[in-house]
Amino acid sequence: MNLSIKEVAALFGVECADQTMISSVEFDSRLVTTDSLFVPLAGTRDGHEFAQQAQEKGAIAAFWSHPTIQPPEGLLIIEVSDTLAAFQKLAKFYKEKLAPKVIAITGSNGKTTTKDMVDAVVAQQFKTYKTQGNHNNEIGLPLTILHAPADTEVLVLEMGMDHAGEIEVLSHLAQPDVAAITLIGEAHIENLGSREGIAKAKMEITAGLDPAGFFMIPADEPLLIPYLAELTQQVETFGLGEGDLKGTIQEETQEQTAFTVADQVYTIPVIGGYNVKNALIAIGIGRYLGIEEEKIKAGLADFQLTKNRTQWLKAANGAAILSDVYNANPTAMGLVLDSFRKLPLTGRRIAVLADMLELGPDSAKMHAGMADHLDERFDLIFLYGSEMQALKRVLDQSSLADRVHFFSKEEKAALITQLQKELQPTDSIVLKGSNGMGLVEVIDSLTAM
């Protein structure tokens, strides 16, 4: 990075003549290296308790706010009232020093994949740095900024939230030049009350957006329309067959999806109309930044998807596994099932669906609604978790009743055993559920069986 100890100290009113350049800023003492700045944050344990370990690993300085824990001797201490606020303040300072273009992505589903697509497109012409993994909250976003190399020209930042007000904080911190909302679903509806509440929270991304910036929203989301009248930014809508930027799917296979925008043909190495919509955001942003069409196509054609987002894997016996288990809400689960059942597959189709969490009082209804996305094309359906009982009750009254197998949350081992017994080398299996249901363990068992 491109920050000295003297600069950081001065930012917080501390006199320091040390011109040593900071190697990194870390809140995890295990990741500290020589000349790191350590930021002790509150967690299961207070980060101040790990300052000695950070110093032993090479930390040169640390923020400090704890009134009773004594800092280690020999470590430059920068006293602050709130270490998280100081962490965010430093990130904003560093971002302003780098002066990159900032692209912010949010949405109930697809924000990580869209971030990966946008980065792949923009990297064709600029030096980029993107959110790593899912570091998209009040801690992860400043960490991303502070880990950006000194020569970064474009920052691609993912913004997530659980409650109202969180994205507004992130937007003011990042001050994006470009922003996009992928879609409005039901994620965290338990905390936000309704899809209207979710839409309002997602629109917070415009709080720090450059008044002369660029903003993309889905054309099929009327809940966002009332907010547009107040915006000064250039707004572009996108969608399948609708919006300012229209995409039309031409062919969908297990390996890729081909689609057109006007007379241009694009391919992405993932399935699903929902991923075409994500790609439209990357195209729109790429064009806004002046990137040539062929470079946009090249970026999309081989972008690298973050793990567990609509990822194809191979079971140990050769069966095809579609893993989409990082998180789930009804919109996302429905989209994945719709795409999976339309694929030109030769063997059996199997679905493993786990509980979708944080859906609030309408959870049973939303789980039951997944029956609309299951039909005779599915040969076996495995339901896992207490919330999935609502879907089982619906399917038990349908023609699919004898294809359904239900397992409680305590029966994960039994689910794994049954899947290992049933799965044949020519099968294709899709797994979808909230991260808290631990379907990653099921996937690991199938790839290792």
Side-chain angles (χ1 to χ4, degrees):
M1 55 185 314
N2 186 25
L3 277 177
S4 69
I5 288 293
K6 182 178 181 180
E7 282 180 286
V8 176
L11 182 63
F12 295 93
V14 176
E15 291 188 13
C16 174
D18 193 339
Q19 297 279 11
T20 302
M21 301 304 291
I22 295 172
S23 62
S24 68
V25 179
E26 305 291 353
F27 61 82
D28 186 338
S29 61
R30 295 168 296 183
L31 302 179
V32 166
T33 58
T34 302
D35 294 336
S36 288
L37 169 67
F38 177 58
V39 181
L41 299 177
T44 306
R45 292 178 61 185
D46 193 301
H48 291 83
E49 298 176 22
F50 298 92
Q52 183 66 49
Q53 294 178 23
Q55 184 183 38
E56 292 170 358
K57 295 203 71 174
I60 191 174
F63 289 150
W64 207 265
S65 65
H66 204 286
T68 58
I69 297 178
Q70 292 299 309
E73 291 186 15
L75 188 66
L76 175 64
I77 296 302
I78 300 172
E79 292 190 3
V80 297
S81 59
D82 183 319
T83 54
L84 176 58
F87 186 44
Q88 294 171 343
K89 179 178 179 179
L90 180 60
K92 189 172 183 179
F93 174 80
Y94 185 58
K95 193 228 75 167
E96 291 170 353
K97 183 175 183 179
L98 292 186
K101 287 280 188 184
V102 177
I103 300 169
I105 309 291
T106 194
S108 298
N109 190 60
K111 52 185 175 291
T112 299
T113 300
T114 303
K115 174 252 306 184
D116 292 337
M117 289 180 173
V118 170
D119 177 73
V121 166
V122 177
Q124 298 291 313
Q125 193 159 310
F126 300 96
K127 293 179 179 178
T128 66
Y129 188 73
K130 67 178 180 178
T131 298
Q132 303 299 298
N134 65 321
H135 288 166
N136 61 16
N137 61 8
E138 76 280 4
I139 295 174
L141 187 134
L143 183 71
T144 298
I145 294 173
L146 288 165
H147 278 199
D151 61 354
T152 299
E153 296 174 304
V154 178
L155 266 173
V156 185
L157 302 176
E158 180 181 330
M159 294 185 179
M161 59 94 186
D162 295 319
H163 296 81
E166 293 176 339
I167 289 181
E168 182 175 0
V169 171
L170 301 181
S171 184
H172 281 304
L173 196 164
Q175 298 175 310
D177 302 279
V178 175
I181 296 175
T182 59
L183 62 78
I184 304 300
E186 302 83 6
H188 310 300
I189 199 168
E190 185 174 39
N191 299 327
L192 292 157
S194 64
R195 289 187 71 252
E196 288 80 1
I198 293 170
K200 183 178 181 180
K202 296 301 182 184
M203 280 297 299
E204 292 173 13
I205 200 169
T206 62
L209 181 61
D210 185 340
F214 182 60
F215 183 43
M216 295 191 72
I217 62 169
D220 60 354
E221 187 44 80
L223 292 176
L224 297 175
I225 302 303
Y227 298 97
L228 301 184
E230 302 175 3
L231 300 182
T232 60
Q233 293 87 0
Q234 176 185 339
V235 178
E236 184 170 80
T237 60
F238 63 90
L240 294 178
E242 59 182 325
D244 302 316
L245 196 61
K246 300 181 182 69
T248 303
I249 296 175
Q250 300 297 313
E251 183 183 19
E252 192 172 357
T253 68
Q254 185 174 332
E255 292 77 26
Q256 67 177 32
T257 303
F259 65 98
T260 57
V261 177
D263 58 346
Q264 299 289 331
V265 180
Y266 303 83
T267 61
I268 50 177
V270 287
I271 68 168
Y274 56 99
N275 275 319
V276 172
K277 289 184 177 181
N278 296 336
L280 292 174
I281 294 174
I283 293 169
I285 292 174
R287 289 177 175 179
Y288 176 74
L289 295 178
I291 298 173
E292 298 171 6
E293 208 68 36
E294 291 307 310
K295 290 182 178 179
I296 294 175
K297 291 179 181 180
L300 287 175
D302 62 357
F303 85 96
Q304 299 300 304
L305 191 67
T306 297
K307 188 177 180 181
N308 291 328
R309 271 79 169 181
T310 325
Q311 178 186 25
W312 282 105
L313 303 170
K314 279 287 184 185
N317 70 352
I321 301 173
L322 181 58
S323 167
D324 197 341
V325 299
Y326 177 72
N327 227 326
N329 59 66
T331 298
M333 185 173 284
L335 290 170
V336 169
L337 290 173
D338 289 346
S339 293
F340 184 76
R341 66 179 176 172
K342 294 175 185 175
L343 287 176
L345 304 173
T346 54
R348 297 186 304 171
R349 292 173 212 263
I350 301 173
V352 179
L353 307 178
D355 287 354
M356 299 176 283
L357 306 177
E358 299 182 5
L359 295 183
D362 290 330
S363 179
K365 180 180 178 181
M366 292 180 182
H367 280 81
M370 291 302 100
D372 294 338
H373 306 277
L374 296 165
D375 60 21
E376 301 292 339
R377 283 169 283 190
F378 287 90
D379 297 278
L380 289 170
I381 300 167
F382 292 84
L383 305 179
Y384 171 56
S386 58
E387 297 297 312
M388 278 294 165
Q389 290 184 75
L391 177 55
K392 181 181 185 298
R393 285 192 290 269
V394 176
L395 295 179
D396 281 347
Q397 303 302 313
S398 74
S399 60
L400 301 177
D402 60 348
R403 307 182 187 195
V404 178
H405 302 267
F406 175 79
F407 297 83
S408 70
K409 190 172 182 180
E410 294 73 31
E411 296 177 310
K412 183 181 290 182
L415 168 64
I416 290 172
T417 299
Q418 188 70 17
L419 284 171
Q420 290 175 331
K421 178 182 177 182
E422 291 280 359
L423 197 63
Q424 300 172 8
T426 55
D427 290 341
S428 294
I429 180 171
V430 60
L431 297 97
K432 183 69 175 173
S434 284
N435 192 38
M437 297 302 292
L439 285 183
V440 170
E441 298 172 39
V442 178
I443 292 170
D444 289 344
S445 73
L446 296 179
T447 56
M449 69 181 185

